[in-house]
Amino acid sequence: GLDSKKKNKKSQGPSFLWEEERRSVLLLLTQLLQLDLHRLWTGSVVEEEFVSLMTGCCYHILENPSICNQKHRPTREAAIHLLGVALRRYSHMLSATLRITQMLQHYEHVAPVFVEAVSVWIKEYGMKSIVGELLREIGQKCPQEVARDASGAKGYATFLTELAEQTPAIVLANMSVLLHHLDGESYGMRNAILAAMAEALLQVLNGEQLEDAARSTRDQFLDTLQAHTCDVNGFVRSRVLQLFTRIVQQKALPLTRFQAVVSLAVSRLQDKSVTVAKNAIQLLAAFISNNPFSCKLSCADITELLQKERQTLQELRDKHRTAAAVAIPPEEEWEAMQPELQATVKSCLSSQPQGEEAGDLEAGDPARVSETIVQLLRKSSYKDAVLLAQGALQLFQGAEPFSCSRTEDEDEEDFLLRLLRTFFIAGSQPGEGAENTGGEERGAEEQPSSELVKQEMLVQYLQDAYNFSVKVMEAMSLVSRMMYESSVSVVQEAIEFFVTVSKFGIPQAVLGVRRMLPLIWSKEPGIREAVLNAYRRLYLNPSGGSERARAHSLVQSLSLLMVDASLATIQCLGEIISEFMQKEEIKPAVVQLLWEQFTEKSQCSALERQVAVMLLGMMAGGKPEIVGSNLDVLIKMGLDERAHENYRLAQGVCDAIAKIGSSQKPALGKSGTPFRLPQSHLLFEHLSEAISVGFAGASPHWVPFTETAVALIYQLAEGPEEICARVLQRCSQRALEKLGEPKGAGAEPGSSPTDSSSVDTLLLTHLVSLAGDVALQQLVHLELAVSTELRRRRILGEESEAKDRTNSSAKKQQAKSTGNETTMEMELGLTGASAEDTEAELIRNICETELLDSKQLLSAFVPLVLKICNNPGHYSDPALSAAAALALGKFCMISAEFCEAHLRLFFTMMEKSTLSSVRANLMIAAGDLAIRFPNQLEPWTPHLYARLRDPCQHVRRTAALVMTHLILKDMVKVKGQVSEMAALLIDPEEEIVALARNFFTELSSKDNAVYNLLPDIISRLSDPDSGIDEQPFRTIMRQLFSYITKDKQTESLVEKLCQRFRTARTERQHHDLAFCLTLLPLTDRGLRKMQDNFDCFGDKLQDVAVYSCFQAVLGRLRRFCTKPEMKTLVEEFEQKLQKCHKRGLDSLAETPKSPECNSRPAPQTAKKTATSSRRQRPLRAANRELDSSLITPEPRVSRARRKTSRQKISVVFSSDEENSLEEAQLMAEETPTKTTPISRASARRAR
């Protein structure tokens, strides 16, 4: 053996190493076997014991796993050659076959070794028959036994796969003995046989010059491969897709199979198995890269060309149909003319004497006369033809072609008809002289026929290309949705797919390229790097001659990507470009070209100029000096006196300049001096002027520009509040002047109920928006900039004090002796912590007491904002209402006292405003308020959830985003109302469905969050008042139950769902609970839980729907149960189910016979309960009367009400203890004053 050296190390001498000597021994034995040893035995047959003795040592050597190592390769080859000689000279075939199959069954490592051995035996010893024997032996194995023996199945599968790669032709010849394993349970064997088929298709059955038998075998193999794309095992489906990918890449797939395999690949994109979906994407990418149709797969282009060629084909067909005259055989022509000719012959024979025409034919030629007769017949001159034939018979008696004679039973009429028929048939055949003419005519006919065939082939080719492009479009829509799957490998393949598609000119590929942009923020490094690589390949390597041409191509590509792009898309693209700039992957020529476009040195449109400054801003994110060194150019060219003509360009300039301030932020723990510009800087003068000039203008881009400009002022200016105060005063003065012109100076801005012109509305909109922007930025300035500066100065002071202490040894000793407590506090960092608390308290006091104080400028705008918000009938302009609502939210962010005082107005507008823009703006503001003042917003949480059922798609989408953020950040209690988020899984808008799915995916990563919420979600959604039908409910549950993966969670849910059958009051709830049980991956412990709680649902089994659900659970258990005791449990449970079901059906059959049975009041009670609960739904608040208001009662009321209503027949769920929050009626005197802290634990959790 290989390890015998270790065992006998002491007994062997130091010079003898068995590993080195073993190969020599094997070579000697090989040479021995090559001698003619048959003479040593009588009968010239070598004894089997001797051959087994020689070969047995080889098999023992190959059994050792270390024989596969490279260092033992000479020994392995020597053993293989010894066995080869035994096979060739000593009839070792049968023994070798049995021994090899046994070793494949028991030793995993020997499969590659024996593949190598078989290859050597075939090439050097001509032993091709060994392959057939081995395959026959493996084929004779029972599929059930192979499935039970996992090790043996793996060995056989590996051997078959690698053997097919080495000798595909020989394996193909013996393939029939293996085919029955395709129906076996071992997926490894199925994979191996399918792989062997693929190798045969690639190496043997490839090409167009195949014989009919080979072509038939190829088609059968392809049919088998296609059938197994729907195999029950995911590994087999995945393997088949991989094999098809290889076949397509090597162009071995016949064109007739293209469409069918593409359709299969598209269908596998929705496979539950991640590996299958990933391989389906790879196969589709291979199809696109190796498609035989075109390098451009645009559907529109192909459709246009196809219609044109179809029209040409139709014209050719019409032309060919007209030109090709119908050729009638002479026999048919004769039959058509025979009746009339027969009548003419009778007439001539009866009326005209014979020989009338004979005199005219004396000098005639008989052959020419017969031709004349034929011509007369064709012209329908039957009488002349008959008379001429009669005369010719008399004149040319015995001369050809008039040598025929009349038979005895034939009269003269029949004789003449037979003669004329002979002339006509013979004259219709082309003679030698007509061959040339006929050939030319046939050539003329063949030419349009060949053109027609070519055109038909072209149209068919274009039709196939169109069908292929349609399938690619379908695949793109599916793959784009797969970009946000949880599997990293699937996301990477989806990204790679769109990179491939983009190279083939499909316009819709840009949508997929855009869709991958948000993945740049992924926490997975692999996904982020895949996005960067994709954009690197798509945009950073443009084709072109000079460097400037490539730069121009890059700018053009990025500009197209930004056309009609959303703000989120632009931010994501900015992150990618910033990353490229940090790695210096974008050439300086690109930056130079962008500056030329922005400064109008190169001819470009206004849109191109705007895109140029946006791209410069993105690049400045990675390399701030791009903007910092050209700040004056940006100000002079982008914020000059023409800024009011193009506020979008000015906004882009502000965004680019803002990158300077963001790059100057000090690192954590360091006290760098903040980057600020003086108030007199040219930048702030131009910004103030641009805001003031456009204040009275009608530009729709003034508001977003102002928001950006105010933020830039607070970011870069020294004393920004003074600059913004001057701008506010100037704009207010202009507003007063404009508003006061028609009705006198000094009038209040909102005091005119009659003359509210569009100018007044525009001025108020701009003024309110500007005030809100300044208020919010002032808060941000205090919270971030001022707080950071206070901390910086404190740290500098502490550092200077520390230096003083180190320089003064006396003070240091004194501090040790008398100030131990102070030193301990400093060492523990308590001094800094208390100082930070003091600073935070200072900032909070400023916000609470000073910013909105009556002496401050901002307070002057609060009455105006409140007046607009409180009078939606008078101020009905949508833009003004939206701006006022947003400004109210920004003012509420400043002070908790102000926020609490105006929450009633805030939520009344959110629920009752008829403008979707107002509701959406307030929802966004509510999200920010919930983070800043969680205790104040906590009683109003139900009204936040209410917006998830808003009739407007935009509001629902905004609410979904806000609630996702709040719930995942633990800023809002996740109560039973989270079922409203679950209801979004069936929203008609695909984007909202994707948001809801993403929310639950993220929530599932937080311990047992989804598991804890499921019972309440089921209770609420299955309630008749929820408005969720049965099928949508099942769609939601399928998604939510996919997050239940732990066995303990499954067992607990089984118990909870079974127990809820007791309290369910409607058949619909019974159906829903039973369906939820079918979604759980049950084990034996889950089944026992179900049996323990059988009494909870046993009486509901009379319902066919409930019974069928439990039958489905049993069916799944049967498929996966392997233990005998588990099978016994399943059978017992099935018997109990059938017994209860039959008993229930029997009792139902007996029900009409008992007149005293009164079962109708129960549904009436349920209906009443349903009606009352429907009245309590919070989401119907938008439909109430306008003068009704909303309050949030104390939680105790809900408990009291619940106690008083216990006698009613209703279902009580754990989430019902908070239902009183949904009965909120808002009244001015009843607005909640005592709020509950956000960290309060509910009674449900405490229990």
Side-chain angles (χ1 to χ4, degrees):
L2 294 176
D3 298 328
S4 58
K5 178 188 72 173
K6 296 181 181 179
K7 298 178 182 177
N8 303 323
K9 188 173 181 181
K10 294 182 179 179
S11 61
Q12 294 174 356
S15 60
F16 181 80
L17 295 175
W18 171 236
E19 290 184 3
E20 297 177 359
E21 299 296 333
R22 183 176 49 197
R23 177 173 176 271
S24 302
V25 173
L26 290 173
L27 292 176
L28 285 173
L29 291 176
T30 304
Q31 293 173 4
L32 174 66
L33 290 179
Q34 287 175 340
L35 298 176
D36 189 8
L37 300 179
H38 297 83
R39 298 179 181 178
L40 299 177
W41 284 269
T42 58
S44 300
V45 176
V46 179
E47 291 183 3
E48 182 66 26
E49 289 80 2
F50 175 77
V51 179
S52 299
L53 179 65
M54 295 289 106
T55 57
C57 61
C58 297
Y59 292 124
H60 283 299
I61 289 173
L62 296 179
E63 286 176 0
N64 198 312
S66 62
I67 195 65
C68 298
N69 296 341
Q70 184 64 25
K71 66 179 181 178
H72 295 309
R73 181 178 179 180
T75 304
R76 184 172 70 243
E77 292 178 347
I80 289 171
H81 281 285
L82 192 152
L83 292 173
V85 173
L87 286 167
R88 178 69 180 273
R89 298 173 63 91
Y90 299 97
S91 303
H92 185 57
M93 180 74 71
L94 180 60
S95 300
T97 302
L98 295 174
R99 190 64 183 268
I100 290 172
T101 52
Q102 288 175 0
M103 292 178 66
L104 286 172
Q105 187 176 1
H106 296 98
Y107 302 99
E108 292 184 2
H109 72 281
V110 298
V113 175
F114 281 124
V115 170
E116 179 186 355
V118 170
S119 300
V120 172
W121 298 338
I122 291 173
K123 293 177 182 177
E124 300 188 16
Y125 298 94
M127 299 301 297
K128 293 184 180 180
S129 58
I130 186 68
V131 176
E133 294 296 330
L134 287 171
L135 296 185
R136 193 172 296 109
E137 187 66 26
I138 294 173
Q140 289 174 356
K141 299 287 183 183
C142 178
Q144 287 77 16
E145 294 181 0
V146 173
R148 286 194 291 268
D149 183 11
S151 175
K154 184 178 180 181
Y156 295 148
T158 306
F159 177 74
L160 291 174
T161 304
E162 297 189 13
L163 184 63
E165 293 176 3
Q166 297 294 326
T167 58
I170 304 175
V171 173
L172 174 62
N174 298 274
M175 183 68 73
S176 59
V177 300
L178 299 171
L179 294 180
H180 69 283
H181 280 290
L182 287 175
D183 299 325
E185 296 181 6
S186 173
Y187 72 88
M189 288 296 291
R190 296 204 297 275
N191 277 344
I193 297 170
L194 294 170
M197 289 182 177
E199 290 298 333
L201 289 170
L202 288 170
Q203 301 186 43
V204 183
L205 303 175
N206 192 4
E208 296 296 329
Q209 308 301 324
L210 294 177
E211 297 180 357
D212 292 342
R215 195 181 299 273
S216 175
T217 304
R218 180 195 67 183
D219 293 342
Q220 290 177 8
F221 283 4
L222 287 171
D223 288 338
T224 304
L225 286 172
Q226 287 178 221
H228 280 276
T229 55
C230 300
D231 195 283
V232 294
N233 190 284
F235 292 109
V236 179
R237 299 195 299 272
S238 176
R239 181 61 172 156
V240 172
L241 293 174
Q242 290 175 353
L243 296 174
F244 267 123
T245 302
R246 282 188 60 204
I247 292 172
V248 171
Q249 287 173 343
Q250 298 188 27
K251 295 181 172 56
L253 185 68
L255 288 180
T256 54
R257 299 269 178 169
F258 232 73
Q259 195 66 20
V261 180
V262 169
S263 300
L264 286 173
V266 173
S267 66
R268 289 299 97 199
L269 289 174
Q270 299 177 339
D271 199 289
K272 293 181 180 179
S273 171
V274 170
T275 312
V276 176
K278 182 182 74 172
N279 285 299
I281 297 174
Q282 290 177 347
L283 176 56
L284 287 168
F287 267 118
I288 294 171
S289 300
N290 299 277
N291 82 87
F293 303 112
S294 172
C295 60
K296 299 293 181 183
L297 293 173
S298 172
C299 255
D301 296 343
I302 295 176
T303 303
E304 182 180 353
L305 187 59
L306 178 59
Q307 291 176 349
K308 180 181 176 183
E309 296 301 333
R310 275 179 176 169
Q311 186 177 357
T312 305
L313 175 62
Q314 189 61 40
E315 292 174 357
L316 278 176
R317 282 175 175 169
D318 295 341
K319 185 177 178 182
H320 183 68
R321 195 176 296 116
T322 305
V326 179
I328 302 175
E331 290 83 0
E332 293 183 10
E333 285 189 77
W334 173 260
E335 291 177 1
M337 70 173 69
Q338 186 175 359
E340 188 177 353
L341 182 60
Q342 189 172 7
T344 305
V345 169
K346 280 184 181 181
S347 175
C348 291
L349 288 176
S350 62
S351 62
Q352 190 169 353
Q354 296 180 355
E356 185 176 334
E357 292 289 331
D360 298 336
L361 300 173
E362 289 181 357
D365 182 12
R368 194 176 294 269
V369 172
S370 67
E371 290 178 9
T372 305
I373 292 172
V374 172
Q375 291 174 4
L376 289 171
L377 289 173
R378 289 190 177 281
K379 293 177 183 179
S380 299
S381 301
Y382 300 138
K383 185 177 180 180
D384 294 340
V386 171
L387 293 175
L388 184 59
Q390 287 178 329
L393 281 172
Q394 294 180 2
L395 182 63
F396 304 114
Q397 289 182 359
E400 290 292 338
F402 297 96
S403 59
C404 58
S405 60
R406 191 170 61 179
T407 60
E408 294 180 357
D409 57 344
E410 191 177 33
D411 59 7
E412 189 174 359
E413 180 184 342
D414 293 337
F415 173 67
L416 269 177
L417 285 173
R418 181 166 62 86
L419 181 67
L420 291 173
R421 184 181 186 281
T422 304
F423 287 163
F424 185 79
I425 298 298
S428 299
Q429 303 294 335
E432 294 181 4
E435 284 183 1
N436 271 344
T437 307
E440 290 176 4
E441 289 177 358
R442 284 195 300 272
E445 289 177 1
E446 288 174 2
Q447 186 175 359
S449 177
S450 62
E451 290 180 4
L452 184 64
V453 172
K454 289 180 181 178
Q455 189 65 24
E456 287 175 345
M457 292 174 64
L458 177 59
V459 169
Q460 185 60 45
Y461 169 82
L462 291 174
Q463 183 65 50
D464 292 342
Y466 173 76
N467 294 338
F468 180 71
S469 64
V470 168
K471 281 296 178 183
V472 170
M473 295 288 296
E474 182 183 347
M476 286 170 58
S477 65
L478 293 173
V479 175
S480 65
R481 292 200 290 268
M482 296 169 66
M483 273 195 215
Y484 293 89
E485 296 287 341
S486 57
S487 172
V488 176
S489 59
V490 171
V491 176
Q492 290 173 330
E493 288 298 334
I495 292 171
E496 182 65 25
F497 174 79
F498 276 103
V499 173
T500 303
V501 170
S502 299
K503 297 177 181 178
F504 285 83
I506 301 176
Q508 291 78 5
V510 178
L511 301 177
V513 173
R514 280 187 184 177
R515 189 172 171 80
M516 74 174 72
L517 274 170
L519 294 173
I520 191 63
W521 311 108
S522 174
K523 298 176 183 178
E524 292 287 343
I527 295 178
R528 177 181 169 85
E529 191 59 35
V531 174
L532 289 173
N533 285 333
Y535 275 83
R536 189 177 288 115
R537 290 164 56 189
L538 288 172
Y539 297 106
L540 290 191
N541 300 312
S543 58
S546 63
E547 187 175 356
R548 185 171 179 83
R550 291 195 296 271
H552 184 74
S553 176
L554 173 60
V555 171
Q556 283 290 108
S557 302
L558 293 176
S559 301
L560 287 174
L561 198 61
M562 295 174 66
V563 172
D564 297 331
S566 63
L567 180 60
T569 300
I570 292 174
Q571 288 177 342
C572 298
L573 184 61
E575 177 68 15
I576 292 176
I577 294 178
S578 171
E579 188 82 16
F580 288 155
M581 283 303 300
Q582 289 178 5
K583 298 178 180 178
E584 298 184 351
E585 295 184 46
I586 297 179
K587 306 296 181 184
V590 178
V591 182
Q592 180 64 30
L593 180 62
L594 291 173
W595 278 115
E596 290 177 6
Q597 288 185 355
F598 173 67
T599 56
E600 299 180 307
K601 290 184 179 179
S602 62
Q603 188 174 1
C604 63
S605 63
L607 183 60
E608 290 175 334
R609 190 176 176 218
Q610 179 184 334
V611 169
V613 74
M614 291 173 69
L615 290 173
L616 286 171
M618 294 176 184
M619 293 176 183
K623 198 173 182 181
E625 54 267 25
I626 292 177
V627 172
S629 58
N630 296 279
L631 181 59
D632 294 339
V633 177
L634 281 170
I635 296 172
K636 291 178 182 177
M637 298 299 297
L639 298 174
D640 56 3
E641 60 277 0
R642 297 180 299 169
H644 66 278
E645 298 175 4
N646 190 352
Y647 276 115
R648 295 191 68 180
L649 177 66
Q651 184 181 357
V653 172
C654 292
D655 288 331
I657 296 174
K659 296 296 175 26
I660 303 175
S662 60
S663 66
Q664 301 291 335
K665 291 180 180 178
L668 188 64
K670 297 185 178 180
S671 55
T673 304
F675 177 78
R676 294 278 172 179
L677 297 174
Q679 292 185 13
S680 58
H681 195 276
L682 191 63
L683 170 64
F684 307 122
E685 294 180 10
H686 281 276
L687 287 176
S688 303
E689 186 66 24
I691 294 173
S692 303
V693 170
F695 176 74
S699 173
H701 304 297
W702 183 88
V703 172
F705 161 72
T706 303
E707 184 178 1
T708 308
V710 170
L712 183 62
I713 291 172
Y714 272 94
Q715 182 183 354
L716 294 181
E718 290 281 359
E721 62 278 357
E722 298 177 10
I723 300 175
C724 290
R726 290 195 294 269
V727 172
L728 260 178
Q729 289 172 349
R730 192 185 309 176
C731 292
S732 301
Q733 187 64 34
R734 293 197 63 181
L736 288 172
E737 293 173 358
K738 289 281 185 181
L739 295 171
E741 285 176 2
K743 49 187 184 295
E748 210 171 326
S751 61
S752 172
T754 56
D755 187 17
S756 180
S757 64
S758 60
V759 177
D760 299 347
T761 301
L762 183 67
L763 290 174
L764 288 177
T765 302
H766 286 181
L767 185 61
V768 168
S769 175
L770 180 60
D773 293 337
V774 174
L776 182 62
Q777 291 301 324
Q778 182 64 37
L779 172 65
V780 173
H781 179 66
L782 287 170
E783 294 278 351
L784 296 181
V786 174
S787 177
T788 304
E789 180 63 15
L790 289 173
R791 180 175 176 274
R792 186 184 73 85
R793 294 182 180 182
R794 174 173 54 78
I795 291 174
L796 288 175
E798 291 174 356
E799 289 177 353
S800 62
E801 290 178 6
K803 289 181 181 178
D804 294 340
R805 284 197 299 271
T806 54
N807 294 332
S808 176
S809 57
K811 290 182 180 179
K812 186 176 179 181
Q813 291 176 359
Q814 183 180 359
K816 286 182 180 180
S817 58
T818 61
N820 289 334
E821 295 180 0
T822 307
T823 305
M824 185 177 297
E825 288 183 359
M826 293 175 61
E827 289 176 355
L828 294 174
L830 297 178
T831 306
S834 61
E836 287 183 2
D837 292 341
T838 304
E839 294 164 3
E841 185 65 22
L842 173 63
I843 299 297
R844 193 185 68 80
N845 286 334
I846 293 174
C847 295
E848 289 289 342
T849 60
E850 296 185 20
L851 282 187
L852 296 179
D853 186 70
S854 59
K855 299 178 182 178
Q856 300 296 326
L857 178 62
L858 288 176
S859 64
F861 298 93
V862 172
L864 176 62
V865 172
L866 294 177
K867 186 169 186 177
I868 296 172
C869 292
N870 276 305
N871 297 277
H874 180 66
Y875 300 99
S876 58
D877 182 72
L880 176 58
S881 299
L886 203 55
L888 176 63
K890 291 176 179 178
F891 278 112
C892 287
M893 288 286 292
I894 295 176
S895 165
E897 182 181 351
F898 182 87
C899 174
E900 192 167 2
H902 296 91
L903 277 180
R904 181 174 65 88
L905 171 63
F906 186 92
F907 281 99
T908 301
M909 292 177 63
M910 182 190 291
E911 298 211 1
K912 297 185 177 180
S913 175
T914 58
L915 300 173
S916 60
S917 57
V918 172
R919 300 198 301 273
N921 281 348
L922 289 174
M923 190 67 206
I924 296 172
D928 294 334
L929 289 173
I931 294 174
R932 182 161 176 79
F933 304 123
N935 292 338
Q936 279 74 16
L937 266 290
E938 193 266 343
W940 305 93
T941 302
H943 307 299
L944 295 178
Y945 281 106
R947 290 305 95 215
L948 293 171
R949 283 206 182 185
D950 195 278
C952 176
Q953 167 204 344
H954 175 58
V955 179
R956 289 200 309 275
R957 178 181 175 276
T958 305
L961 286 169
V962 171
M963 295 309 296
T964 297
H965 180 69
L966 293 178
I967 293 172
L968 294 180
K969 296 292 183 184
D970 295 325
M971 301 308 299
V972 166
K973 275 188 178 180
V974 186
K975 304 178 182 179
Q977 291 134 333
V978 78
S979 60
E980 304 300 346
M981 286 293 290
L984 295 182
L985 290 168
I986 55 170
D987 196 274
E989 296 297 327
E990 185 63 32
E991 187 179 5
I992 296 176
V993 173
L995 286 173
R997 191 180 294 120
N998 181 62
F999 164 75
F1000 282 105
T1001 302
E1002 294 293 330
L1003 189 65
S1004 65
S1005 63
K1006 302 182 70 172
D1007 296 331
N1008 299 322
V1010 175
Y1011 160 75
N1012 291 332
L1013 292 169
L1014 255 180
D1016 287 342
I1017 293 176
I1018 295 171
S1019 299
R1020 285 176 177 261
L1021 294 184
S1022 63
D1023 191 279
D1025 307 322
S1026 67
I1028 304 294
D1029 294 331
E1030 191 166 350
Q1031 286 305 320
F1033 172 85
R1034 296 189 172 192
T1035 303
I1036 295 171
M1037 289 301 116
R1038 285 191 190 98
Q1039 179 69 35
L1040 295 182
F1041 273 85
S1042 65
Y1043 302 113
I1044 304 300
T1045 55
K1046 299 177 182 178
D1047 290 342
K1048 289 186 177 180
Q1049 292 179 348
T1050 302
E1051 295 162 18
S1052 178
L1053 277 176
V1054 168
E1055 186 174 10
K1056 290 181 180 180
L1057 292 174
C1058 290
Q1059 291 175 356
R1060 295 219 171 186
F1061 274 100
R1062 292 185 183 275
T1063 53
R1065 65 180 186 271
T1066 64
E1067 288 186 358
R1068 161 69 191 281
Q1069 290 176 327
H1070 299 158
H1071 297 171
D1072 291 343
L1073 290 171
F1075 174 76
C1076 291
L1077 284 172
T1078 65
L1079 299 176
L1080 288 169
L1082 288 183
T1083 59
D1084 53 349
R1085 297 175 66 178
L1087 179 59
R1088 289 191 177 91
K1089 287 281 186 184
M1090 197 178 289
Q1091 283 189 324
D1092 293 342
N1093 294 275
F1094 192 87
D1095 294 340
C1096 298
F1097 57 85
D1099 57 332
K1100 312 298 187 300
L1101 290 172
Q1102 63 185 11
D1103 191 323
V1104 177
V1106 175
Y1107 178 70
S1108 61
C1109 287
F1110 279 97
Q1111 286 293 326
V1113 172
L1114 278 177
R1116 181 181 297 179
L1117 285 169
R1118 282 196 202 94
R1119 286 200 300 270
F1120 296 104
C1121 67
T1122 55
K1123 301 177 182 178
E1125 53 188 35
M1126 180 69 172
K1127 293 181 179 179
T1128 305
L1129 277 175
V1130 172
E1131 291 174 359
E1132 291 177 0
F1133 188 62
E1134 184 176 15
Q1135 291 174 1
K1136 291 177 71 175
L1137 287 178
Q1138 291 176 351
K1139 186 177 179 181
C1140 288
H1141 179 59
K1142 291 178 180 178
R1143 186 192 307 158
L1145 292 178
D1146 294 341
S1147 64
L1148 284 177
E1150 295 171 0
T1151 300
K1153 299 179 183 179
S1154 56
E1156 297 178 359
C1157 181
N1158 186 10
S1159 60
R1160 297 199 177 189
Q1164 292 176 358
T1165 307
K1167 188 173 182 181
K1168 290 179 182 179
T1169 309
T1171 307
S1172 62
S1173 64
R1174 186 184 295 113
R1175 188 174 62 251
Q1176 296 173 5
R1177 291 289 296 169
L1179 303 180
R1180 312 281 179 172
N1183 299 327
R1184 297 178 191 152
E1185 297 178 4
L1186 292 175
D1187 57 351
S1188 67
S1189 40
L1190 306 141
I1191 67 159
T1192 306
E1194 294 291 334
R1196 299 178 208 165
V1197 179
S1198 69
R1199 293 193 180 108
R1201 289 183 183 178
R1202 190 180 66 181
K1203 289 178 182 178
T1204 58
S1205 62
R1206 272 182 186 170
Q1207 296 178 356
K1208 295 182 181 179
I1209 302 175
S1210 61
V1211 187
V1212 180
F1213 298 119
S1214 60
S1215 57
D1216 288 344
E1217 63 189 40
E1218 289 150 354
N1219 276 350
S1220 61
L1221 296 177
E1222 303 175 7
E1223 303 166 11
Q1225 299 292 327
L1226 188 64
M1227 315 245 311
E1229 66 275 8
E1230 293 179 349
T1231 303
T1233 56
K1234 182 179 179 181
T1235 57
T1236 308
I1238 195 67
S1239 60
R1240 176 177 66 89
S1242 66
R1244 164 73 177 162
R1245 293 185 181 177
R1247 201 163 41 235

